[in-house]
Amino acid sequence: MKFSHQLKFNSVPEWREHYIKYAALKKIIYAIAKAEQDETLQTIHEDEHGHPLLQHTVTFGHDKVDATEETLVKYLDKELADIISFYMTKEAEILANLEKVDLQIHSLEKVPRAPSGSLLEVQASADGSETIDVVTPDTVRAEALSTRAARVDFWTRAGKSSSAKDLIRERGRLKSRISDTFVALHDLKNFLTVNKEGFRKILKKHDKLASSNLKATYWRVVEDKYPSRREEKLQRAIERVTDQYAVIYLQGDVDKATEQLTRKLRDQIKVERNTVWRDMVALERRHVDAVVDTGPLKTRAPWLVRHRNSVCLFLSVTVFAALLSVDSLQLFAEAEKQNCFAMLLFVSLLWATEAIPLFATSMLIPPLVVLLRLLVDRTKDPPVRLTAQEAAPAIFHAMFSQVIMLLLGGFAIASALSKHFIAKQLAIAVLSRVGRKPHNVILASMFVATFASMWISNVASPVLCFSLVTPILRTLDTNNPFCKALVMGIALASNVGGMTSPISSPQNIFAIERMSMDGEPPSWLSWFAVALPVSIVCNLLAWALILLVYRPWTKVQEVRPIKPNTDPMTGTQVFVIFISLLTVALWCGNSTLRPYVGEMGVVAVLPLAAFFGFGVLSKDDFNGFLWNVVMLAMGGLGLGEAVKSSGLLQSIAEAIQDLVEGMDLTQVMLVFCLMVLIATTFISHTVGAMVILPIVQSVGEQMVDPHPKLLVMATALMCSGAMGLPVSGFPNMNAVALEDPAGVNYVNTLDFIKVGVPSSVLAYGVIVSVGYALMLVVKF
């Protein structure tokens, strides 16, 4: 096997960037050999200043360097220094952790210790086979043997005792810490061996291809500087760890301890090599578009499936034309209402079937509004339909409102939190502290996804969370129930996270716009007071359901923890956090600040100006905003204005009012939430909100006891709670598209039917009970 492959297979994934840059050094050597060959075969032309026209350069990292032997030696020195520095840092860290474990064990045992601290060290010094720092006399050796026997007896009795529950609990926690220390020491020892072999191979490669003999001179530098002699110290530490394990868990049997710890080490290496193999498969798939064969060759899809979009587009246009021209289908006497109904049904069909992209459908709304003359001036008596010249500026004015500024402000905050790794560091900080139990990891991942959705939207949140748990997923089989439970948990929690804040999902933006129709927009605090308890209860119920369905602990007893982040916080990160918190605080105090700022959209300019003005975000970041969502929102606002101005909204509201006549507020809410649950399970949450929220708000205004804000918010929350199918929102689409590096999906439609549909029903129950009560408390 080539050394580059050996390096890839034998390196510790978390330390990969600290290994010798073997491939980059080889590039320099090849360039040196090429330069020497060119000098031999041809005369290098020089310009009038005497400089060669032909230069041999190579890229090392991000730098372009000359292909000379001096450059090679310079980078060999740099690599050697970096490897030694990293080794010394990790050695100090691991040995310090070993001492912490040793002291913790000592505090639990309450048994006097011999000076050696390890039977293996005592035996080694007694027979003279090793040289260690302290030579232990025979009296100390006897004392150590006696102490060790007492320690073995203490832990043996502790394991059989039912009264010492705290000690047994600590004993269980120590097992993973001792095993991890054993693995880390072996990894560090292997780090020394592999890198030294890398220097030997690279020098051998140079001497083979180039004319000079660099190994004869530089290998002496490696031998002199390289910390090879510290392997003995690592070996003694490994023996200490093995002895501790034997004393605590195996009645002092060192051979059994060595066997068990070595088995754990082999399992760890197997996991890491399996991960590397999958990475290589993924790389191959990207280059050749390969897929893993998981079954017999599939037959060609039926004609209707292949031409689904065209058929749906044709049917939508046919329905639209029929509603405009067929007399028997004229449901309204006024032309503007009938035309608006035709357009409403047309765009709803296009949105529901996605025959063309959602944002493209939104772009059709302004020209249709103008051409069909849907806008009406109701200040005149009788009302007059606006001409094209009057309707065009009116509809474009309606399409840009504070809702769009809220979206852009939310995008700016989300982009800054993501670009500068603040969201990722926060998520890692949580996930690295939740322990190893599968149910804890799933619950923590779900709440991280929900919290991330609150600030970076439930579109970006699942992408972030899936990237964080990918190292865990790649160590397990794709069909492992823990993998399915983790992926489903993040997807459902991201959907629930769409409820949490006014900027966490587009449907909430529309809800805020509808709830502001009376000139008194809801504050962020009142939204949080309802949405946060509802989302917490929904998450806990979904988590319990996932555990009941998948029982992940049956296949995975412990989860390999995510490594915590140790990088210090930068000034830019502090600035981003400050501006984001200030913006949210101003949004929360909107009711108080309205005399000064007018609307929340004005506050949304703050993160845009601060982040782009001070270089936190760039033009490319601005171009990377979800402009398809912005266009979708603008289309929804235009549709809402057309439905309202034409009088269609009033007519629909009156018809529904007749249907719900005699129902109280609770019953109306139950009906609307159920209708939204069913509809948004099959169509986009955003589309459902755009079509249904104006009707809900209008019906709420016309009730005997009007509560339009309550009905609108309940309906908006239910949009996020509809998560029964893969098409029910972006988090579900992301989850069902998530593949392992070999191209096998982690979850499928059946998983959403088993878990997503019951979770949607549970969310419905929470919204119409807990949510309803809280909305009454905050006086919606």
Side-chain angles (χ1 to χ4, degrees):
M1 183 185 290
K2 291 184 178 181
F3 181 75
S4 58
H5 290 166
Q6 291 181 26
L7 188 64
K8 193 174 288 187
F9 272 89
N10 290 299
S11 61
V12 180
E14 291 84 3
W15 301 351
R16 196 162 287 165
E17 62 185 40
H18 300 287
Y19 284 79
I20 184 172
K21 306 295 187 298
Y22 185 75
L25 291 169
K26 273 204 311 182
K27 283 184 181 179
I28 297 178
I29 292 172
Y30 288 140
I32 291 172
K34 182 71 166 55
E36 290 182 355
Q37 184 182 25
D38 289 345
E39 288 176 1
T40 303
L41 297 177
Q42 64 181 21
T43 302
I44 299 178
H45 300 287
E46 296 186 357
D47 62 16
E48 59 188 49
H49 300 291
H51 297 296
L53 295 176
L54 181 61
Q55 295 288 334
H56 290 272
T57 60
V58 67
T59 302
F60 191 97
H62 298 292
D63 303 326
K64 280 211 169 221
V65 299
D66 293 332
T68 63
E69 194 160 299
E70 290 77 11
T71 301
L72 178 62
V73 171
K74 172 187 171 183
Y75 280 98
L76 283 171
D77 288 342
K78 182 179 182 302
E79 289 297 297
L80 184 58
D82 289 346
I83 288 168
I84 293 172
S85 174
F86 177 76
Y87 170 82
M88 299 303 290
T89 302
K90 293 305 293 185
E91 183 194 75
E93 178 186 320
I94 294 170
L95 293 180
N97 186 56
L98 173 58
E99 295 303 328
K100 286 181 183 177
V101 173
D102 192 63
L103 289 171
Q104 184 180 356
I105 294 170
H106 184 254
S107 66
L108 293 171
E109 289 173 343
K110 300 174 184 175
V111 175
R113 289 285 190 93
S116 66
S118 168
L119 174 64
L120 296 179
E121 287 187 11
V122 175
Q123 290 175 329
S125 61
D127 60 26
S129 61
E130 278 190 53
T131 303
I132 59 175
D133 296 337
V134 179
V135 178
T136 311
D138 291 341
T139 54
V140 175
R141 180 177 183 275
E143 183 183 348
L145 290 171
S146 174
T147 302
R148 187 174 188 276
R151 294 178 60 218
V152 170
D153 181 62
F154 171 83
W155 287 108
T156 302
R157 284 187 286 105
K160 297 176 181 178
S161 173
S162 59
S163 58
K165 292 182 179 179
D166 292 340
L167 182 60
I168 293 172
R169 191 182 303 113
E170 289 298 323
R171 182 174 181 260
R173 291 173 180 168
L174 278 170
K175 192 168 189 177
S176 60
R177 291 187 64 187
I178 293 173
S179 301
D180 288 348
T181 304
F182 181 86
V183 171
L185 287 166
H186 268 281
D187 284 344
L188 195 59
K189 190 176 177 183
N190 183 62
F191 179 83
L192 278 180
T193 304
V194 168
N195 281 296
K196 188 173 183 180
E197 179 66 9
F199 280 106
R200 190 186 70 80
K201 289 278 189 182
I202 209 70
L203 292 172
K204 180 180 177 183
K205 176 77 68 176
H206 172 272
D207 291 357
K208 179 181 178 181
L209 297 177
S211 58
S212 61
N213 186 1
L214 184 60
K215 185 176 180 181
T217 56
Y218 197 83
W219 186 248
R220 288 199 296 269
V221 177
V222 175
E223 290 280 16
D224 181 53
K225 302 291 184 184
Y226 205 75
S228 302
R229 291 179 292 276
R230 302 188 76 85
E231 287 189 29
E232 297 176 9
K233 187 175 183 179
L234 292 179
Q235 184 58 38
R236 291 200 303 275
I238 290 170
E239 291 169 355
R240 274 184 65 191
V241 171
T242 306
D243 189 54
Q244 294 282 30
Y245 192 90
V247 167
I248 298 173
Y249 303 104
L250 298 170
Q251 300 180 0
D253 192 329
V254 175
D255 291 336
K256 275 190 178 180
T258 303
E259 180 185 344
Q260 287 191 14
L261 289 171
T262 304
R263 191 183 305 124
K264 289 180 182 294
L265 178 64
R266 281 200 300 268
D267 291 343
Q268 181 79 7
I269 292 172
K270 180 181 176 182
V271 163
E272 290 173 353
R273 289 188 176 180
N274 189 39
T275 302
V276 172
W277 174 81
R278 294 187 184 198
D279 286 340
M280 294 173 71
V281 171
L283 184 64
E284 184 70 12
R285 289 179 68 232
R286 283 196 294 271
H287 281 300
V288 301
D289 197 26
V291 294
V292 174
D293 185 9
T294 57
L297 187 64
K298 295 182 180 179
T299 58
R300 192 180 184 189
W303 181 91
L304 189 60
V305 174
R306 287 184 283 117
H307 297 87
R308 172 189 173 279
N309 287 350
S310 300
V311 171
C312 290
L313 179 59
F314 174 77
L315 291 176
S316 301
V317 172
T318 302
V319 170
F320 179 53
L323 287 172
L324 289 176
S325 57
V326 178
D327 292 337
S328 60
L329 296 177
Q330 301 299 306
L331 304 179
F332 302 94
E334 299 90 340
E336 64 271 16
K337 289 184 182 179
Q338 181 64 30
N339 290 352
C340 189
F341 178 71
M343 186 192 74
L344 175 63
L345 195 57
F346 175 56
V347 297
S348 297
L349 285 172
L350 290 180
W351 275 331
T353 60
E354 296 187 44
I356 61 175
L358 298 178
F359 66 91
T361 300
S362 293
M363 293 179 183
L364 295 175
I365 292 173
L368 288 175
V369 169
V370 174
L371 292 172
L372 297 175
R373 298 187 63 192
L374 303 183
L375 300 187
V376 177
D377 183 359
R378 298 195 177 273
T379 61
K380 297 179 180 179
D381 190 19
V384 179
R385 296 170 71 183
L386 298 184
T387 63
Q389 293 89 340
E390 295 169 331
I395 190 62
F396 285 122
H397 174 76
M399 291 176 67
F400 192 89
S401 69
Q402 70 150 345
V403 172
I404 304 303
M405 289 309 301
L406 277 174
L407 266 179
L408 296 177
F411 288 162
I413 291 175
S415 183
L417 291 175
S418 299
K419 179 178 181 178
H420 296 281
F421 306 106
I422 298 169
K424 185 173 184 178
Q425 287 185 17
L426 179 62
I428 290 175
V430 174
L431 292 177
S432 63
R433 290 170 170 80
V434 296
R436 298 167 177 252
K437 298 300 181 185
H439 57 276
N440 290 340
V441 173
I442 293 169
L443 182 61
S445 300
M446 290 176 69
F447 276 108
V448 165
T450 298
F451 185 77
S453 297
M454 188 187 302
W455 307 114
I456 64 173
S457 86
N458 68 341
V459 174
S461 172
V463 177
L464 168 67
C465 292
F466 285 139
S467 69
L468 292 178
V469 301
T470 294
I472 298 174
L473 295 174
R474 289 193 302 180
T475 63
L476 301 169
D477 183 70
T478 308
N479 292 320
N480 190 296
F482 174 73
C483 290
K484 291 181 176 292
L486 189 58
V487 172
M488 288 300 299
I490 290 173
L492 299 183
S494 297
N495 278 298
V496 171
M499 307 177 185
T500 48
S501 79
I503 61 169
S504 60
S505 61
Q507 55 265 29
N508 293 0
I509 296 286
F510 293 124
I512 289 289
E513 190 253 345
R514 284 287 144 188
M515 295 167 78
S516 305
M517 287 296 193
D518 60 355
E520 296 288 337
S523 71
W524 276 50
L525 286 178
S526 59
W527 186 284
F528 286 150
V530 176
L532 292 185
V534 168
S535 62
I536 290 171
V537 176
C538 287
N539 264 339
L540 292 175
L541 291 175
W543 173 64
L545 179 65
I546 287 170
L547 295 183
L548 183 65
V549 171
Y550 291 110
R551 303 175 63 83
W553 60 86
T554 58
K555 294 293 184 181
V556 177
Q557 280 72 44
E558 286 190 348
V559 180
R560 187 182 179 191
I562 293 177
K563 299 291 184 182
N565 180 62
T566 56
D567 295 334
M569 189 169 287
T570 64
T572 303
Q573 290 176 324
V574 172
F575 179 73
V576 169
I577 293 172
F578 172 74
I579 294 296
S580 300
L581 292 178
L582 177 61
T583 304
V584 172
L586 293 174
W587 277 333
C588 289
N590 176 63
S591 300
T592 306
L593 296 173
R594 281 189 65 213
Y596 308 101
V597 298
E599 292 183 334
M600 286 188 286
V602 175
V603 176
V605 176
L606 174 61
L608 289 164
F611 294 153
F612 287 105
F614 290 95
V616 174
L617 296 176
S618 66
K619 181 178 68 175
D620 292 334
D621 296 315
F622 186 77
N623 294 336
F625 280 3
L626 296 174
W627 292 106
N628 59 325
V629 176
V630 174
M631 289 305 304
L632 191 60
M634 294 177 73
L637 293 173
L639 179 63
E641 178 64 21
V643 172
K644 179 183 176 183
S645 179
S646 66
L648 178 64
L649 180 60
Q650 180 71 20
S651 298
I652 294 175
E654 289 173 354
I656 294 177
Q657 186 66 39
D658 292 338
L659 293 175
V660 299
E661 188 175 357
M663 294 185 182
D664 59 18
L665 178 63
T666 306
Q667 293 171 319
V668 174
M669 182 194 64
L670 288 170
V671 171
F672 274 129
C673 284
L674 182 60
M675 181 175 68
V676 168
L677 170 61
I678 295 171
T680 53
T681 296
F682 297 95
I683 65 173
S684 162
H685 295 166
T686 306
V687 170
M690 287 191 299
V691 174
I692 297 171
L693 286 185
I695 299 172
V696 172
Q697 186 252 340
S698 184
V699 170
E701 286 179 340
Q702 297 183 31
M703 293 182 67
V704 177
D705 182 19
H707 283 276
K709 291 184 179 180
L710 186 150
L711 291 177
V712 168
M713 184 169 187
T715 307
L717 296 180
M718 196 64 252
C719 286
S720 296
M723 43 195 169
L725 293 175
V727 296
S728 307
F730 181 81
N732 292 12
M733 297 176 193
N734 203 341
V736 82
L738 188 67
E739 300 175 341
D740 70 0
V744 181
N745 296 94
Y746 286 101
V747 297
N748 53 38
T749 303
L750 182 60
D751 292 296
F752 278 99
I753 293 174
K754 289 192 298 185
V755 177
V757 172
S759 295
S760 300
V761 175
L762 291 172
Y764 174 80
V766 174
I767 292 167
V768 300
S769 57
V770 177
Y772 177 60
L774 291 172
M775 283 184 277
L776 290 177
V777 170
V778 298
K779 299 180 179 178
F780 277 168

